Structures are given as structure tokens and as C-alpha cells.
């Protein structure tokens, strides 16, 4: 069975084609700068023997419909294509950012599901509209394939009310659905499953803290395999310090910025989402550059990294308390997978809680799953590469199987 995974942004369509027989990626690509003067489409085809070819085309792509047509053409291209006929693609799995409270799991898309995703637009005004366009253009391009939605929020729908409700008038939850939702759910769920496989225990028996550190960053507390708390909130702005997002701030900060600096809601939105985090403190949102700057003696970069790792460690302490018993901590995504320095700073000094990092193992962690705790550590510390696209493909396959039951 071949499944196409699609992640549609406001000006891009990212895609990955899987052969689900062996979970092999057959092709991956991106149509980017859609609607701009110079659009680009890049596709990498990977043969079963591991050899790959890359095609790069500068084409004018006026809108997502055209982008999708180009993607289909490339996927079935006689010379470069990954499949002979687009009908070989049984299903399209869509990453949808906000499922609100309506979706607890992966769902086959029909008119009702589309209406529900639309109802969640106020909760994710930047993400759900392009996701809906992705669904529309994929339905047009693959009319015979099943379309499936995999929600970033779904994994967090098991969070209990005491952890998801904000202490504000209850009507705002009842009427406007203001609450913590959490994001990166596909990644947290994927690495939790891989951790259970690695540890050789059922996920339903495991308590985990998963730490996704990419450009966006979030943590999840997982009790008996189910998410019970997460750092992101109603929007992805809350929680950890991120590349350009502030994470937690005093909720009264916007009033100060308005009253004293005359900033508009839009200015504050831009400030907290795009100009804060690592970038706000030291001028770059790229962790590699932050570390290079520290090595060159830049004191602001040192402060930025200090804030970044302190916040993670603080939430680790909080989630230790929430879970009471902890089996493993999992680091994942760009920074979590690749920066021994960040992992070390977050994990130091937690021996009394049963968690001890092995600095040598931490440095040697490779590209697969690595265990970086010391022999004596009660809590395992794992580095597990995330793979959101594969998880979306797996979820899509499962949804198809369930629909046939
Ligand atoms: P992601 O959003 O998962 O692609 O992660 C992007 C982040 O990972 C950026 O901040 C990169 O600087 C960071 N990153 C990637 N490789 C490394 C590395 N070797 N060391 C530190 N940070 C890295």
C-alpha cells in the first residue's frame, strides 16, 4: 500500500510518499514559495536499493491547486516519477494542526470533518486554513484515494481538566473553548511508541517525559501511555523558550506593552511569536549558531541558552511531580537529537530524582535510538529521532484498516 503524506503551509506543500510494505520513503519533496514570483519544487526519489535522485524545478506556482498538480506530475513522471499511476496511491494522510476538542484520534475526512476543522480556524488562524486547502487540492488530485486527517492536538486530548483548564471564567471554556490543547502530538506519540519498543514494555505501563526540541519546542508528561500534561497551551506560544517564541511570560505583559509602549495586539503577537525566544535574547534562533556564539565568548548567547535549558529542567521537575513514577525521559527533534550540550545542561543535577546522565554516552549518541543514562540511573534517558511523516502514514493506514472492520 502506498500512502502520500501532506503537510500544507501558507505558501508551501511538503510531501512524502511511503511504501507501507516496508515503511520505505519512495519520494519526498516540497513545493515552496507558492503564490510568489519564483516558486520552486524539489523532489527526491529514493529507490529500494537506497540510491536517490533529486529533481529541482523553478516553476511559477500561482496557488496550491497548481502546486498539487505539479507534485502529481512529478510523482508519476515517466523519467523521474516514483509511481506509474497516481491511482497506486491508496490514501493521503494530512497533517492538521488544530482538531480542537472534536478529534481524539486520526479521522477519515468527510464533509463533517471538514466543517469541524473549519470551526477550529479561530483557534489556529495561521495553520488550519492552509491545511484545509491541502485537503481540498488532494481530494481534487486523488479523487479515488481516502483522505485522512492526523491532528497535532489529538494525542493531548487525554489531558485531564485540572491540567487543561485556565483559571478564568468558566464560560470562556464552555462557550469559546478557551483551554490548553497542546501541539507536536504526532511527534510525542511517535517517540513514546519507539521508547516502549526500545524498553521492551507495553506503552500502557510506561510513564515518560518526552521533550521535542526543534524550532518549536514542547514537552509532554505521559502516564501509562496517555498524555496527562503538555507545555504548549491554547496556542503553540506557551511553555518552553523556543527559536523565536517566548514560551511562558506573565499574562499581564501585553497590558504593559500596550499601556507603556502603545503596541497593538498585532505588534505584540509578532513580538512574542517571531521576535522572542533565543532570537530575542541573542539575535539568532538557530541553536547551532547560539552554541557557536557561546564558543566565541558571546555573553548574550550564553544567557539565551541558560534560559532555554533552565525552562526545560524546571518543567522536568514539574512533570516528575505530576507523574510520581518516571520510567524514561526522551529527547527528540533537531536540537534534542543533535545537541549533547543542551541535553547535558537540561539533565544535570537530577540524581536525587533517580536520573543520571552519562556524559560520554551522551556525546557519542548516534543517529538511531541512543541510551545516554548511566548504568545506575533508575530513569532511562533516551535520544529518539522523531518521524512525524512516518507516524502520519502509519496512522493513515490504521484509519483505513479500522474503516474496513
Ligand atoms: P527542527 O525544527 O526539528 O528541524 O530543529 C531545528 C533546530 O535544530 C535548529 O535550532 C537547529 O539549529 C537545531 N539543530 C540541528 N542540528 C543541530 C546540532 N548539531 N546542534 C545543535 N542544534 C542543532
Amino acid at each position: 500500500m502506498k500512502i502520500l503524506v501532506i503537510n500544507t503551509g501558507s505558501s508551501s506543500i511538503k510531501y512524502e510518499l511511503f511504501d507501507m510494505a516496508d515503511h520505505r520513503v519512495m519520494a519526498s519533496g516540497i513545493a515552496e514559495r507558492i503564490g510568489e514570483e519564483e516558486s520552486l519544487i524539489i523532489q527526491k526519489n529514493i529507490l529500494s536499493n537506497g540510491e536517490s535522485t533529486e529533481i529541482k524545478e523553478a516553476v511559477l506556482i500561482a496557488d496550491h491547486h497548481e502546486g498539487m498538480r505539479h507534485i502529481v506530475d512529478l510523482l508519476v513522471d515517466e523519467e523521474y516519477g516514483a509511481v506509474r499511476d497516481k491511482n497506486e496511491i491508496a490514501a493521503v494522510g494530512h497533517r492538521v494542526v488544530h482538531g480542537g476538542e472534536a478529534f481524539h484520534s486520526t479521522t477519515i475526512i468527510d464533509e463533517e470533518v471538514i466543517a469541524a476543522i473549519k470551526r477550529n480556524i479561530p483557534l489556529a488562524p495561521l495553520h488550519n486554513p492552509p491545511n484545509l486547502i491541502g485537503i481540498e487540492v488532494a481530494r481534487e488530485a486523488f479523487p479515488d484515494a481516502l483522505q485522512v486527517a492526523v491532528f497535532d492536538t489529538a494525542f493531548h486530548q487525554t489531558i485531564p481538566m485540572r491540567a487543561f483548564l485556565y483559571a478564568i471564567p468558566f464560560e470562556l471554556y464552555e462557550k469559546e473553548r478557551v483551554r490548553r490543547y497542546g501541539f507536536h502530538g504526532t511527534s510525542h506519540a511517535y517517540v513514546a511508541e519507539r521508547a516502549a519498543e526500545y524498553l521492551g514494555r507495553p506503552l500502557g505501563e510506561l510513564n515518560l517525559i518526552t521533550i521535542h526540541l526543534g524550532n518549536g519546542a514542547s514537552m509532554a508528561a505521559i502516564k501509562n501511555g496517555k498524555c496527562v500534561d503538555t507545555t504548549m497551551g491554547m496556542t503553540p506560544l506557551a511553555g518552553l523558550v523556543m527559536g523565536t517564541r517566548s514560551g511562558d511570560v506573565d499574562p499581564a505583559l501585553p497590558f504593559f506593552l500596550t499601556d507603556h509602549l502603545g503596541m497593538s495586539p498585532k505588534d505584540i503577537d509578532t513580538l512574542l511569536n517571531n521576535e522572542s525566544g533565543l532570537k530575542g535574547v541573542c539575535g539568532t534562533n538557530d541553536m547551532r549558531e547560539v552554541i557557536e556564539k557561546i564558543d566565541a565568548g558571546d555573553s548574550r548567547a550564553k544567557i539565551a541558552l541558560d534560559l532555554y535549558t533552565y525552562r526545560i529542567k524546571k518543567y522536568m521537575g514539574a512533570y516528575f511531580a505530576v507523574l510520581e513514577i518516571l520510567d524514561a525521559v526522551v529527547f527528540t527533534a533537531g536540537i534534542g537529537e543533535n545537541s549533547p550540550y543542551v541535553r547535558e545542561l537540561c539533565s544535570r543535577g537530577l540524581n536525587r530524582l533517580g536520573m543520571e546522565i552519562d556524559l560520554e554516552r551522551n556525546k557519542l549518541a548516534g543517529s538511531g535510538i541512543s541510551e545516554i543514562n548511566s548504568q545506575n540511573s533508575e530513569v532511562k534517558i533516551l535520544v529518539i529521532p522523531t518521524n512525524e511523516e512516518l507516524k502520519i502514514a502509519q496512522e493513515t493506514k490504521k484509519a483505513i484498516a479500522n474503516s474496513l472492520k
Side-chain angles (χ1 to χ4, degrees), residues 139-157:
R139 277 175 133 192
E140 196 178 273
F142 300 96
D144 297 326
L146 269 177
Q147 307 286 332
V148 173
V150 181
F151 298 94
D152 266 20
T153 46
F155 180 63
H156 303 301
Q157 276 298 302

Side-chain angles (χ1 to χ4, degrees), residues 51-128:
E51 274 177 32
S52 64
T53 52
E54 194 178 91
I55 313 141
K56 205 174 192 178
E57 280 181 8
V59 278
L60 242 167
I61 307 177
D63 57 22
H64 287 76
H65 291 268
E66 244 180 61
M68 197 50 150
R69 279 198 290 275
H70 280 291
I71 291 171
V72 174
D73 287 347
L74 267 187
L75 284 172
V76 301
D77 186 273
E78 258 185 42
E79 196 176 341
Y80 304 113
V83 287
R84 286 224 180 82
D85 186 324
K86 68 177 184 180
N87 291 331
E88 285 180 45
I89 295 167
V92 183
H94 296 265
R95 175 187 183 216
V96 181
V97 167
H98 218 308
E101 289 189 319
F103 299 104
H104 295 229
S105 57
T106 299
T107 309
I108 292 182
I109 297 171
D110 58 18
E111 296 310 322
E112 241 173 73
V113 171
I114 289 179
I117 299 172
K118 276 190 188 148
R119 279 198 296 279
N120 285 320
I121 288 177
L123 296 172
L126 298 180
H127 293 98
N128 276 19

Side-chain angles (χ1 to χ4, degrees), residues 323-396:
L323 295 172
E324 296 168 354
I325 294 169
L326 181 63
D327 296 295
V329 169
V330 180
F331 286 96
T332 193
I335 298 168
E337 290 167 32
N338 296 303
S339 177
Y341 190 36
V342 168
R343 293 193 299 258
E344 180 189 333
L345 293 176
C346 302
S347 311
R348 259 188 206 161
L350 297 175
N351 303 24
R352 293 289 287 270
L353 297 175
M355 179 172 154
E356 193 176 276
I357 189 164
D358 181 311
L359 297 182
E360 230 9 71
R361 279 172 146 188
N362 181 37
K363 281 203 189 99
L364 293 174
S367 56
I369 297 185
S370 307
E371 185 175 328
I372 60 167
N373 50 274
S374 71
Q375 294 290 345
N376 297 331
S377 182
E378 279 172 45
V379 176
K380 301 276 185 200
I381 311 175
L382 306 175
V383 181
I384 303 186
T386 193
N387 192 338
E388 290 167 272
E389 293 75 21
L390 174 60
K391 176 73 177 152
I392 293 173
Q394 289 170 330
E395 286 284 309
T396 301

Side-chain angles (χ1 to χ4, degrees), residues 24-49:
R24 185 169 66 85
V25 177
M26 303 174 72
S28 68
I30 182 166
E32 58 188 0
R33 292 188 240 142
I34 295 173
E36 293 175 29
E37 271 173 26
E38 281 179 25
S39 328
L40 189 65
I41 176 160
I42 305 170
Q43 180 172 302
K44 190 172 164 191
N45 288 338
I46 305 146
L47 302 174
S48 50
N49 64 8

Side-chain angles (χ1 to χ4, degrees), residues 213-216 285-288 291 333-335 338-339:
L213 304 177
N215 242 330
N285 63 316
D286 188 312
M287 186 55 88
R288 279 166 296 207
I291 293 171
I335 298 168
N338 296 303
S339 177

